[in-house]
Amino acid sequence: MSAKSIIISFVILIIFVVGLSFLITGNQPVQPTAASYTSQSQDRPKVEIGEKFIDVGEIKVSDVITRDFSIKNAGNKPIQLLNINSSCGCTSGKIIYKDFTSKEFGMHAQSGFVTEIAPGDTATMRLTYRPATMPVYGAVEREVYISTNDPDNSKLIFAIKAIVR
């Protein structure tokens, strides 16, 4: 094999490896970043949530349980909600705000999703629990996690408890 053939083969290999790396990493979500505030800031978002835990009592493994939780912005800067995920593949969360509904986010992939809640506005976090997806019987508690840019509430945890029969 001549030196020219070796060089051409080497260049083709490099182009192939670079192209393959772009193909592999091109579909990965960009991790969102949130605006940063301190607890001492006068101008900052402030999360207010009502309930963050619901006990639904006894349910069948075939049931699908959906519950809504409110997230209010009591501050004077937008709240950013990001990195939604859950404690189990049987549980998911999605955000409903104004005319927008996000897709459901679960355990296996932290979302690249970000939305902002304007000061004074309220969004809904819809938790869905599907026990049949990962059947566990007896007392079960599942959670949905949401990161925020509120320095006093940087991680929100919404939970559902049930006795699965």
Side-chain angles (χ1 to χ4, degrees), residues 93-145:
K94 66 180 171 182
I95 301 296
I96 302 164
Y97 179 58
K98 295 188 177 183
D99 295 334
F100 173 78
T101 300
S102 75
K103 71 176 195 167
E104 287 189 348
F105 298 105
M107 175 183 179
H108 296 294
Q110 193 172 62
S111 73
F113 171 79
V114 178
T115 194
E116 290 188 349
I117 302 172
D121 279 356
T122 301
T124 299
M125 194 292 296
R126 179 163 293 157
L127 183 151
T128 302
Y129 173 47
R130 297 175 180 90
T133 304
M134 305 273 303
V136 175
Y137 296 91
V140 177
E141 187 173 320
R142 298 293 184 248
E143 299 172 333
V144 170
Y145 313 108

mmCIF file of all heavy atoms in Angstrom, residues 93-145:
data_model
loop_
_atom_site.group_PDB
_atom_site.id
_atom_site.type_symbol
_atom_site.label_atom_id
_atom_site.label_comp_id
_atom_site.label_asym_id
_atom_site.label_seq_id
_atom_site.Cartn_x
_atom_site.Cartn_y
_atom_site.Cartn_z
ATOM 1 N N GLY A 93 -44.524 13.508 35.374
ATOM 2 C CA GLY A 93 -45.034 14.840 35.656
ATOM 3 C C GLY A 93 -45.007 15.679 34.399
ATOM 4 O O GLY A 93 -44.166 15.465 33.518
ATOM 5 N N LYS A 94 -45.951 16.586 34.301
ATOM 6 C CA LYS A 94 -45.945 17.545 33.200
ATOM 7 C C LYS A 94 -46.444 18.874 33.718
ATOM 8 O O LYS A 94 -47.143 18.941 34.732
ATOM 9 C CB LYS A 94 -46.749 17.062 32.007
ATOM 10 C CG LYS A 94 -48.234 16.934 32.212
ATOM 11 C CD LYS A 94 -48.872 16.447 30.927
ATOM 12 C CE LYS A 94 -50.316 16.082 31.085
ATOM 13 N NZ LYS A 94 -50.881 15.579 29.835
ATOM 14 N N ILE A 95 -46.068 19.935 33.020
ATOM 15 C CA ILE A 95 -46.433 21.292 33.415
ATOM 16 C C ILE A 95 -47.522 21.814 32.488
ATOM 17 O O ILE A 95 -47.427 21.685 31.264
ATOM 18 C CB ILE A 95 -45.209 22.232 33.350
ATOM 19 C CG1 ILE A 95 -44.101 21.733 34.279
ATOM 20 C CG2 ILE A 95 -45.600 23.665 33.663
ATOM 21 C CD1 ILE A 95 -44.451 21.742 35.743
ATOM 22 N N ILE A 96 -48.527 22.423 33.093
ATOM 23 C CA ILE A 96 -49.605 23.072 32.343
ATOM 24 C C ILE A 96 -49.583 24.541 32.759
ATOM 25 O O ILE A 96 -49.716 24.854 33.945
ATOM 26 C CB ILE A 96 -50.965 22.436 32.657
ATOM 27 C CG1 ILE A 96 -50.927 20.936 32.332
ATOM 28 C CG2 ILE A 96 -52.081 23.153 31.908
ATOM 29 C CD1 ILE A 96 -52.055 20.143 32.938
ATOM 30 N N TYR A 97 -49.385 25.412 31.780
ATOM 31 C CA TYR A 97 -49.311 26.849 32.078
ATOM 32 C C TYR A 97 -49.930 27.620 30.924
ATOM 33 O O TYR A 97 -49.502 27.494 29.782
ATOM 34 C CB TYR A 97 -47.862 27.271 32.291
ATOM 35 C CG TYR A 97 -47.682 28.742 32.589
ATOM 36 C CD1 TYR A 97 -48.312 29.338 33.673
ATOM 37 C CD2 TYR A 97 -46.886 29.537 31.778
ATOM 38 C CE1 TYR A 97 -48.148 30.675 33.949
ATOM 39 C CE2 TYR A 97 -46.705 30.883 32.053
ATOM 40 C CZ TYR A 97 -47.341 31.452 33.135
ATOM 41 O OH TYR A 97 -47.180 32.786 33.401
ATOM 42 N N LYS A 98 -50.944 28.379 31.256
ATOM 43 C CA LYS A 98 -51.711 29.140 30.264
ATOM 44 C C LYS A 98 -52.205 28.170 29.196
ATOM 45 O O LYS A 98 -52.886 27.215 29.516
ATOM 46 C CB LYS A 98 -50.897 30.295 29.715
ATOM 47 C CG LYS A 98 -50.576 31.332 30.783
ATOM 48 C CD LYS A 98 -49.949 32.566 30.206
ATOM 49 C CE LYS A 98 -49.733 33.578 31.321
ATOM 50 N NZ LYS A 98 -49.200 34.825 30.853
ATOM 51 N N ASP A 99 -51.858 28.391 27.926
ATOM 52 C CA ASP A 99 -52.322 27.525 26.839
ATOM 53 C C ASP A 99 -51.326 26.429 26.486
ATOM 54 O O ASP A 99 -51.484 25.750 25.480
ATOM 55 C CB ASP A 99 -52.601 28.355 25.577
ATOM 56 C CG ASP A 99 -53.748 29.325 25.782
ATOM 57 O OD1 ASP A 99 -54.614 29.050 26.628
ATOM 58 O OD2 ASP A 99 -53.781 30.366 25.096
ATOM 59 N N PHE A 100 -50.295 26.235 27.312
ATOM 60 C CA PHE A 100 -49.240 25.283 26.992
ATOM 61 C C PHE A 100 -49.270 24.098 27.952
ATOM 62 O O PHE A 100 -49.425 24.266 29.156
ATOM 63 C CB PHE A 100 -47.868 25.973 27.090
ATOM 64 C CG PHE A 100 -46.715 25.028 26.934
ATOM 65 C CD1 PHE A 100 -46.341 24.574 25.682
ATOM 66 C CD2 PHE A 100 -46.021 24.573 28.036
ATOM 67 C CE1 PHE A 100 -45.296 23.686 25.523
ATOM 68 C CE2 PHE A 100 -44.962 23.688 27.897
ATOM 69 C CZ PHE A 100 -44.598 23.252 26.638
ATOM 70 N N THR A 101 -49.109 22.897 27.407
ATOM 71 C CA THR A 101 -48.953 21.691 28.204
ATOM 72 C C THR A 101 -47.687 20.983 27.725
ATOM 73 O O THR A 101 -47.565 20.674 26.542
ATOM 74 C CB THR A 101 -50.167 20.749 28.040
ATOM 75 O OG1 THR A 101 -51.339 21.450 28.463
ATOM 76 C CG2 THR A 101 -50.007 19.494 28.866
ATOM 77 N N SER A 102 -46.760 20.736 28.636
ATOM 78 C CA SER A 102 -45.527 20.038 28.274
ATOM 79 C C SER A 102 -45.821 18.561 28.054
ATOM 80 O O SER A 102 -46.890 18.070 28.403
ATOM 81 C CB SER A 102 -44.485 20.191 29.382
ATOM 82 O OG SER A 102 -44.794 19.362 30.487
ATOM 83 N N LYS A 103 -44.859 17.864 27.505
ATOM 84 C CA LYS A 103 -44.992 16.412 27.444
ATOM 85 C C LYS A 103 -44.747 15.866 28.847
ATOM 86 O O LYS A 103 -44.326 16.601 29.747
ATOM 87 C CB LYS A 103 -44.021 15.827 26.426
ATOM 88 C CG LYS A 103 -42.573 15.878 26.822
ATOM 89 C CD LYS A 103 -41.714 15.193 25.775
ATOM 90 C CE LYS A 103 -40.328 14.908 26.340
ATOM 91 N NZ LYS A 103 -39.556 14.015 25.529
ATOM 92 N N GLU A 104 -45.011 14.573 29.038
ATOM 93 C CA GLU A 104 -44.772 13.938 30.335
ATOM 94 C C GLU A 104 -43.296 13.599 30.468
ATOM 95 O O GLU A 104 -42.679 13.117 29.531
ATOM 96 C CB GLU A 104 -45.592 12.651 30.468
ATOM 97 C CG GLU A 104 -47.052 12.883 30.673
ATOM 98 C CD GLU A 104 -47.799 11.606 31.008
ATOM 99 O OE1 GLU A 104 -47.248 10.493 30.860
ATOM 100 O OE2 GLU A 104 -48.963 11.722 31.431
ATOM 101 N N PHE A 105 -42.757 13.848 31.663
ATOM 102 C CA PHE A 105 -41.371 13.520 31.941
ATOM 103 C C PHE A 105 -41.342 12.524 33.089
ATOM 104 O O PHE A 105 -42.047 12.684 34.075
ATOM 105 C CB PHE A 105 -40.579 14.776 32.319
ATOM 106 C CG PHE A 105 -40.533 15.788 31.208
ATOM 107 C CD1 PHE A 105 -41.304 16.931 31.265
ATOM 108 C CD2 PHE A 105 -39.728 15.586 30.098
ATOM 109 C CE1 PHE A 105 -41.267 17.871 30.250
ATOM 110 C CE2 PHE A 105 -39.687 16.512 29.073
ATOM 111 C CZ PHE A 105 -40.453 17.658 29.143
ATOM 112 N N GLY A 106 -40.513 11.502 32.945
ATOM 113 C CA GLY A 106 -40.441 10.457 33.955
ATOM 114 C C GLY A 106 -39.042 10.248 34.487
ATOM 115 O O GLY A 106 -38.192 11.140 34.438
ATOM 116 N N MET A 107 -38.802 9.040 34.929
ATOM 117 C CA MET A 107 -37.568 8.718 35.627
ATOM 118 C C MET A 107 -36.344 8.599 34.721
ATOM 119 O O MET A 107 -35.260 9.008 35.095
ATOM 120 C CB MET A 107 -37.759 7.395 36.365
ATOM 121 C CG MET A 107 -36.531 6.870 37.042
ATOM 122 S SD MET A 107 -36.930 5.286 37.773
ATOM 123 C CE MET A 107 -35.362 4.872 38.451
ATOM 124 N N HIS A 108 -36.507 8.031 33.570
ATOM 125 C CA HIS A 108 -35.351 7.595 32.796
ATOM 126 C C HIS A 108 -34.624 8.686 32.038
ATOM 127 O O HIS A 108 -33.523 8.460 31.549
ATOM 128 C CB HIS A 108 -35.746 6.458 31.869
ATOM 129 C CG HIS A 108 -36.176 5.254 32.644
ATOM 130 N ND1 HIS A 108 -35.304 4.540 33.429
ATOM 131 C CD2 HIS A 108 -37.381 4.678 32.822
ATOM 132 C CE1 HIS A 108 -35.946 3.556 34.021
ATOM 133 N NE2 HIS A 108 -37.210 3.625 33.670
ATOM 134 N N ALA A 109 -35.194 9.840 31.929
ATOM 135 C CA ALA A 109 -34.496 10.925 31.242
ATOM 136 C C ALA A 109 -34.906 12.244 31.870
ATOM 137 O O ALA A 109 -36.074 12.604 31.846
ATOM 138 C CB ALA A 109 -34.834 10.929 29.757
ATOM 139 N N GLN A 110 -33.931 12.925 32.425
ATOM 140 C CA GLN A 110 -34.229 14.247 32.969
ATOM 141 C C GLN A 110 -34.558 15.154 31.794
ATOM 142 O O GLN A 110 -33.880 15.141 30.779
ATOM 143 C CB GLN A 110 -33.030 14.769 33.735
ATOM 144 C CG GLN A 110 -33.352 15.973 34.569
ATOM 145 C CD GLN A 110 -32.186 16.329 35.468
ATOM 146 O OE1 GLN A 110 -31.128 16.637 34.984
ATOM 147 N NE2 GLN A 110 -32.403 16.278 36.762
ATOM 148 N N SER A 111 -35.594 15.930 31.946
ATOM 149 C CA SER A 111 -36.052 16.745 30.829
ATOM 150 C C SER A 111 -35.102 17.900 30.541
ATOM 151 O O SER A 111 -34.447 18.414 31.433
ATOM 152 C CB SER A 111 -37.439 17.309 31.132
ATOM 153 O OG SER A 111 -37.348 18.339 32.095
ATOM 154 N N GLY A 112 -35.047 18.294 29.291
ATOM 155 C CA GLY A 112 -34.366 19.517 28.911
ATOM 156 C C GLY A 112 -35.367 20.662 28.872
ATOM 157 O O GLY A 112 -35.090 21.725 28.357
ATOM 158 N N PHE A 113 -36.536 20.421 29.428
ATOM 159 C CA PHE A 113 -37.651 21.362 29.394
ATOM 160 C C PHE A 113 -37.428 22.529 30.353
ATOM 161 O O PHE A 113 -36.944 22.356 31.455
ATOM 162 C CB PHE A 113 -38.921 20.607 29.798
ATOM 163 C CG PHE A 113 -40.128 21.467 30.010
ATOM 164 C CD1 PHE A 113 -40.855 21.936 28.933
ATOM 165 C CD2 PHE A 113 -40.541 21.812 31.282
ATOM 166 C CE1 PHE A 113 -41.977 22.720 29.140
ATOM 167 C CE2 PHE A 113 -41.658 22.591 31.491
ATOM 168 C CZ PHE A 113 -42.374 23.037 30.406
ATOM 169 N N VAL A 114 -37.772 23.723 29.907
ATOM 170 C CA VAL A 114 -37.770 24.915 30.771
ATOM 171 C C VAL A 114 -39.021 25.727 30.435
ATOM 172 O O VAL A 114 -39.343 25.911 29.271
ATOM 173 C CB VAL A 114 -36.546 25.818 30.520
ATOM 174 C CG1 VAL A 114 -36.617 27.060 31.390
ATOM 175 C CG2 VAL A 114 -35.253 25.089 30.765
ATOM 176 N N THR A 115 -39.709 26.182 31.454
ATOM 177 C CA THR A 115 -40.786 27.143 31.233
ATOM 178 C C THR A 115 -40.716 28.192 32.330
ATOM 179 O O THR A 115 -40.149 27.945 33.388
ATOM 180 C CB THR A 115 -42.176 26.477 31.209
ATOM 181 O OG1 THR A 115 -43.120 27.413 30.679
ATOM 182 C CG2 THR A 115 -42.634 26.039 32.584
ATOM 183 N N GLU A 116 -41.252 29.339 32.039
ATOM 184 C CA GLU A 116 -41.259 30.427 33.020
ATOM 185 C C GLU A 116 -42.682 30.737 33.441
ATOM 186 O O GLU A 116 -43.584 30.777 32.613
ATOM 187 C CB GLU A 116 -40.625 31.690 32.424
ATOM 188 C CG GLU A 116 -39.149 31.568 32.213
ATOM 189 C CD GLU A 116 -38.497 32.884 31.812
ATOM 190 O OE1 GLU A 116 -39.212 33.860 31.488
ATOM 191 O OE2 GLU A 116 -37.262 32.934 31.834
ATOM 192 N N ILE A 117 -42.848 30.977 34.734
ATOM 193 C CA ILE A 117 -44.127 31.420 35.280
ATOM 194 C C ILE A 117 -43.955 32.889 35.651
ATOM 195 O O ILE A 117 -43.087 33.247 36.443
ATOM 196 C CB ILE A 117 -44.515 30.622 36.539
ATOM 197 C CG1 ILE A 117 -44.583 29.132 36.228
ATOM 198 C CG2 ILE A 117 -45.846 31.113 37.097
ATOM 199 C CD1 ILE A 117 -44.762 28.278 37.470
ATOM 200 N N ALA A 118 -44.783 33.730 35.064
ATOM 201 C CA ALA A 118 -44.696 35.170 35.305
ATOM 202 C C ALA A 118 -45.093 35.494 36.748
ATOM 203 O O ALA A 118 -45.861 34.746 37.372
ATOM 204 C CB ALA A 118 -45.610 35.916 34.335
ATOM 205 N N PRO A 119 -44.574 36.594 37.281
ATOM 206 C CA PRO A 119 -44.971 37.005 38.631
ATOM 207 C C PRO A 119 -46.494 37.090 38.763
ATOM 208 O O PRO A 119 -47.178 37.628 37.885
ATOM 209 C CB PRO A 119 -44.318 38.383 38.780
ATOM 210 C CG PRO A 119 -43.124 38.316 37.881
ATOM 211 C CD PRO A 119 -43.579 37.505 36.693
ATOM 212 N N GLY A 120 -47.019 36.526 39.841
ATOM 213 C CA GLY A 120 -48.459 36.536 40.087
ATOM 214 C C GLY A 120 -49.216 35.399 39.434
ATOM 215 O O GLY A 120 -50.368 35.155 39.761
ATOM 216 N N ASP A 121 -48.600 34.686 38.497
ATOM 217 C CA ASP A 121 -49.274 33.597 37.788
ATOM 218 C C ASP A 121 -49.091 32.261 38.499
ATOM 219 O O ASP A 121 -48.188 32.100 39.321
ATOM 220 C CB ASP A 121 -48.746 33.465 36.358
ATOM 221 C CG ASP A 121 -49.378 34.470 35.402
ATOM 222 O OD1 ASP A 121 -50.283 35.212 35.823
ATOM 223 O OD2 ASP A 121 -48.957 34.492 34.234
ATOM 224 N N THR A 122 -49.943 31.310 38.116
ATOM 225 C CA THR A 122 -49.888 29.961 38.678
ATOM 226 C C THR A 122 -49.867 28.951 37.544
ATOM 227 O O THR A 122 -50.604 29.080 36.563
ATOM 228 C CB THR A 122 -51.121 29.698 39.573
ATOM 229 O OG1 THR A 122 -51.127 30.676 40.624
ATOM 230 C CG2 THR A 122 -51.094 28.309 40.181
ATOM 231 N N ALA A 123 -49.012 27.946 37.683
ATOM 232 C CA ALA A 123 -48.955 26.819 36.748
ATOM 233 C C ALA A 123 -49.426 25.576 37.495
ATOM 234 O O ALA A 123 -49.521 25.568 38.731
ATOM 235 C CB ALA A 123 -47.532 26.618 36.234
ATOM 236 N N THR A 124 -49.713 24.539 36.753
ATOM 237 C CA THR A 124 -50.126 23.266 37.322
ATOM 238 C C THR A 124 -49.091 22.209 36.988
ATOM 239 O O THR A 124 -48.639 22.121 35.849
ATOM 240 C CB THR A 124 -51.497 22.839 36.749
ATOM 241 O OG1 THR A 124 -52.457 23.833 37.094
ATOM 242 C CG2 THR A 124 -51.941 21.496 37.280
ATOM 243 N N MET A 125 -48.715 21.423 37.984
ATOM 244 C CA MET A 125 -47.881 20.256 37.749
ATOM 245 C C MET A 125 -48.797 19.052 37.873
ATOM 246 O O MET A 125 -49.405 18.835 38.925
ATOM 247 C CB MET A 125 -46.749 20.171 38.774
ATOM 248 C CG MET A 125 -45.638 19.171 38.409
ATOM 249 S SD MET A 125 -46.040 17.423 38.421
ATOM 250 C CE MET A 125 -46.416 17.183 40.122
ATOM 251 N N ARG A 126 -48.950 18.307 36.790
ATOM 252 C CA ARG A 126 -49.829 17.137 36.789
ATOM 253 C C ARG A 126 -48.990 15.876 36.985
ATOM 254 O O ARG A 126 -48.163 15.541 36.151
ATOM 255 C CB ARG A 126 -50.627 17.050 35.500
ATOM 256 C CG ARG A 126 -51.535 15.819 35.448
ATOM 257 C CD ARG A 126 -52.594 15.936 34.396
ATOM 258 N NE ARG A 126 -53.520 17.000 34.790
ATOM 259 C CZ ARG A 126 -54.288 17.670 33.923
ATOM 260 N NH1 ARG A 126 -54.238 17.387 32.632
ATOM 261 N NH2 ARG A 126 -55.102 18.615 34.353
ATOM 262 N N LEU A 127 -49.217 15.207 38.109
ATOM 263 C CA LEU A 127 -48.544 13.956 38.420
ATOM 264 C C LEU A 127 -49.445 12.811 37.977
ATOM 265 O O LEU A 127 -50.638 12.807 38.282
ATOM 266 C CB LEU A 127 -48.283 13.875 39.924
ATOM 267 C CG LEU A 127 -47.534 12.672 40.462
ATOM 268 C CD1 LEU A 127 -46.760 13.069 41.715
ATOM 269 C CD2 LEU A 127 -48.423 11.497 40.757
ATOM 270 N N THR A 128 -48.876 11.845 37.266
ATOM 271 C CA THR A 128 -49.620 10.659 36.841
ATOM 272 C C THR A 128 -48.892 9.425 37.356
ATOM 273 O O THR A 128 -47.685 9.279 37.149
ATOM 274 C CB THR A 128 -49.757 10.602 35.312
ATOM 275 O OG1 THR A 128 -50.423 11.788 34.869
ATOM 276 C CG2 THR A 128 -50.556 9.394 34.876
ATOM 277 N N TYR A 129 -49.649 8.561 38.032
ATOM 278 C CA TYR A 129 -49.106 7.316 38.578
ATOM 279 C C TYR A 129 -49.815 6.148 37.908
ATOM 280 O O TYR A 129 -51.037 6.057 37.946
ATOM 281 C CB TYR A 129 -49.293 7.295 40.097
ATOM 282 C CG TYR A 129 -48.914 5.996 40.767
ATOM 283 C CD1 TYR A 129 -47.709 5.347 40.477
ATOM 284 C CD2 TYR A 129 -49.751 5.418 41.707
ATOM 285 C CE1 TYR A 129 -47.366 4.163 41.102
ATOM 286 C CE2 TYR A 129 -49.409 4.231 42.352
ATOM 287 C CZ TYR A 129 -48.219 3.608 42.038
ATOM 288 O OH TYR A 129 -47.881 2.438 42.662
ATOM 289 N N ARG A 130 -49.027 5.283 37.276
ATOM 290 C CA ARG A 130 -49.537 4.099 36.584
ATOM 291 C C ARG A 130 -48.924 2.857 37.240
ATOM 292 O O ARG A 130 -47.868 2.377 36.798
ATOM 293 C CB ARG A 130 -49.172 4.157 35.106
ATOM 294 C CG ARG A 130 -49.783 5.313 34.361
ATOM 295 C CD ARG A 130 -49.271 5.361 32.900
ATOM 296 N NE ARG A 130 -49.851 6.469 32.183
ATOM 297 C CZ ARG A 130 -49.310 7.688 32.124
ATOM 298 N NH1 ARG A 130 -48.176 7.958 32.741
ATOM 299 N NH2 ARG A 130 -49.905 8.650 31.432
ATOM 300 N N PRO A 131 -49.550 2.313 38.287
ATOM 301 C CA PRO A 131 -48.956 1.198 39.028
ATOM 302 C C PRO A 131 -48.647 -0.025 38.160
ATOM 303 O O PRO A 131 -47.694 -0.749 38.430
ATOM 304 C CB PRO A 131 -49.990 0.853 40.090
ATOM 305 C CG PRO A 131 -50.983 1.938 40.090
ATOM 306 C CD PRO A 131 -50.829 2.730 38.839
ATOM 307 N N ALA A 132 -49.430 -0.281 37.130
ATOM 308 C CA ALA A 132 -49.221 -1.469 36.295
ATOM 309 C C ALA A 132 -47.889 -1.427 35.542
ATOM 310 O O ALA A 132 -47.360 -2.464 35.158
ATOM 311 C CB ALA A 132 -50.372 -1.627 35.309
ATOM 312 N N THR A 133 -47.339 -0.240 35.347
ATOM 313 C CA THR A 133 -46.063 -0.113 34.639
ATOM 314 C C THR A 133 -44.938 -0.792 35.406
ATOM 315 O O THR A 133 -44.062 -1.421 34.815
ATOM 316 C CB THR A 133 -45.719 1.377 34.419
ATOM 317 O OG1 THR A 133 -46.796 1.994 33.724
ATOM 318 C CG2 THR A 133 -44.443 1.546 33.636
ATOM 319 N N MET A 134 -44.917 -0.647 36.702
ATOM 320 C CA MET A 134 -43.908 -1.255 37.586
ATOM 321 C C MET A 134 -44.670 -1.790 38.809
ATOM 322 O O MET A 134 -44.663 -1.150 39.857
ATOM 323 C CB MET A 134 -42.872 -0.219 38.026
ATOM 324 C CG MET A 134 -42.174 0.518 36.928
ATOM 325 S SD MET A 134 -40.730 -0.280 36.270
ATOM 326 C CE MET A 134 -39.702 -0.501 37.662
ATOM 327 N N PRO A 135 -45.348 -2.922 38.664
ATOM 328 C CA PRO A 135 -46.233 -3.387 39.737
ATOM 329 C C PRO A 135 -45.511 -3.641 41.059
ATOM 330 O O PRO A 135 -44.602 -4.458 41.144
ATOM 331 C CB PRO A 135 -46.811 -4.691 39.190
ATOM 332 C CG PRO A 135 -46.568 -4.659 37.729
ATOM 333 C CD PRO A 135 -45.346 -3.824 37.519
ATOM 334 N N VAL A 136 -45.906 -2.886 42.053
ATOM 335 C CA VAL A 136 -45.474 -3.065 43.434
ATOM 336 C C VAL A 136 -46.760 -3.011 44.259
ATOM 337 O O VAL A 136 -47.553 -2.094 44.107
ATOM 338 C CB VAL A 136 -44.501 -1.941 43.880
ATOM 339 C CG1 VAL A 136 -44.160 -2.076 45.348
ATOM 340 C CG2 VAL A 136 -43.250 -1.953 43.029
ATOM 341 N N TYR A 137 -46.937 -3.991 45.118
ATOM 342 C CA TYR A 137 -48.165 -4.057 45.898
ATOM 343 C C TYR A 137 -47.908 -3.612 47.329
ATOM 344 O O TYR A 137 -46.795 -3.696 47.826
ATOM 345 C CB TYR A 137 -48.733 -5.479 45.862
ATOM 346 C CG TYR A 137 -49.131 -5.890 44.462
ATOM 347 C CD1 TYR A 137 -48.231 -6.526 43.626
ATOM 348 C CD2 TYR A 137 -50.394 -5.592 43.976
ATOM 349 C CE1 TYR A 137 -48.589 -6.883 42.334
ATOM 350 C CE2 TYR A 137 -50.759 -5.939 42.678
ATOM 351 C CZ TYR A 137 -49.848 -6.590 41.871
ATOM 352 O OH TYR A 137 -50.195 -6.929 40.595
ATOM 353 N N GLY A 138 -48.961 -3.105 47.955
ATOM 354 C CA GLY A 138 -48.849 -2.606 49.315
ATOM 355 C C GLY A 138 -48.688 -1.099 49.308
ATOM 356 O O GLY A 138 -49.061 -0.416 48.359
ATOM 357 N N ALA A 139 -48.127 -0.572 50.392
ATOM 358 C CA ALA A 139 -47.934 0.880 50.510
ATOM 359 C C ALA A 139 -46.822 1.329 49.563
ATOM 360 O O ALA A 139 -45.719 0.784 49.580
ATOM 361 C CB ALA A 139 -47.595 1.252 51.937
ATOM 362 N N VAL A 140 -47.139 2.319 48.733
ATOM 363 C CA VAL A 140 -46.203 2.822 47.727
ATOM 364 C C VAL A 140 -46.224 4.350 47.763
ATOM 365 O O VAL A 140 -47.289 4.957 47.873
ATOM 366 C CB VAL A 140 -46.606 2.345 46.310
ATOM 367 C CG1 VAL A 140 -45.686 2.914 45.259
ATOM 368 C CG2 VAL A 140 -46.637 0.835 46.234
ATOM 369 N N GLU A 141 -45.058 4.954 47.671
ATOM 370 C CA GLU A 141 -44.959 6.408 47.533
ATOM 371 C C GLU A 141 -44.065 6.713 46.347
ATOM 372 O O GLU A 141 -42.972 6.178 46.228
ATOM 373 C CB GLU A 141 -44.387 7.049 48.800
ATOM 374 C CG GLU A 141 -44.433 8.568 48.750
ATOM 375 C CD GLU A 141 -44.020 9.218 50.065
ATOM 376 O OE1 GLU A 141 -44.401 8.706 51.128
ATOM 377 O OE2 GLU A 141 -43.321 10.245 49.998
ATOM 378 N N ARG A 142 -44.539 7.589 45.464
ATOM 379 C CA ARG A 142 -43.788 7.982 44.263
ATOM 380 C C ARG A 142 -43.705 9.499 44.222
ATOM 381 O O ARG A 142 -44.582 10.202 44.722
ATOM 382 C CB ARG A 142 -44.466 7.463 43.001
ATOM 383 C CG ARG A 142 -44.549 5.947 42.937
ATOM 384 C CD ARG A 142 -43.169 5.331 42.808
ATOM 385 N NE ARG A 142 -43.228 3.895 42.659
ATOM 386 C CZ ARG A 142 -42.802 3.028 43.567
ATOM 387 N NH1 ARG A 142 -42.309 3.463 44.706
ATOM 388 N NH2 ARG A 142 -42.870 1.743 43.344
ATOM 389 N N GLU A 143 -42.637 10.011 43.577
ATOM 390 C CA GLU A 143 -42.386 11.453 43.583
ATOM 391 C C GLU A 143 -42.057 11.972 42.191
ATOM 392 O O GLU A 143 -41.517 11.254 41.363
ATOM 393 C CB GLU A 143 -41.221 11.776 44.525
ATOM 394 C CG GLU A 143 -41.497 11.388 45.949
ATOM 395 C CD GLU A 143 -40.293 11.526 46.855
ATOM 396 O OE1 GLU A 143 -39.139 11.424 46.359
ATOM 397 O OE2 GLU A 143 -40.492 11.735 48.067
ATOM 398 N N VAL A 144 -42.347 13.260 41.994
ATOM 399 C CA VAL A 144 -41.913 14.013 40.817
ATOM 400 C C VAL A 144 -41.063 15.166 41.324
ATOM 401 O O VAL A 144 -41.428 15.831 42.299
ATOM 402 C CB VAL A 144 -43.111 14.543 39.986
ATOM 403 C CG1 VAL A 144 -42.647 15.518 38.916
ATOM 404 C CG2 VAL A 144 -43.874 13.387 39.361
ATOM 405 N N TYR A 145 -39.920 15.389 40.674
ATOM 406 C CA TYR A 145 -38.976 16.432 41.081
ATOM 407 C C TYR A 145 -38.910 17.515 40.013
ATOM 408 O O TYR A 145 -38.873 17.216 38.821
ATOM 409 C CB TYR A 145 -37.574 15.842 41.256
ATOM 410 C CG TYR A 145 -37.557 14.568 42.060
ATOM 411 C CD1 TYR A 145 -37.326 13.342 41.443
ATOM 412 C CD2 TYR A 145 -37.786 14.591 43.428
ATOM 413 C CE1 TYR A 145 -37.309 12.173 42.173
ATOM 414 C CE2 TYR A 145 -37.769 13.418 44.170
ATOM 415 C CZ TYR A 145 -37.532 12.206 43.533
ATOM 416 O OH TYR A 145 -37.524 11.048 44.266
#
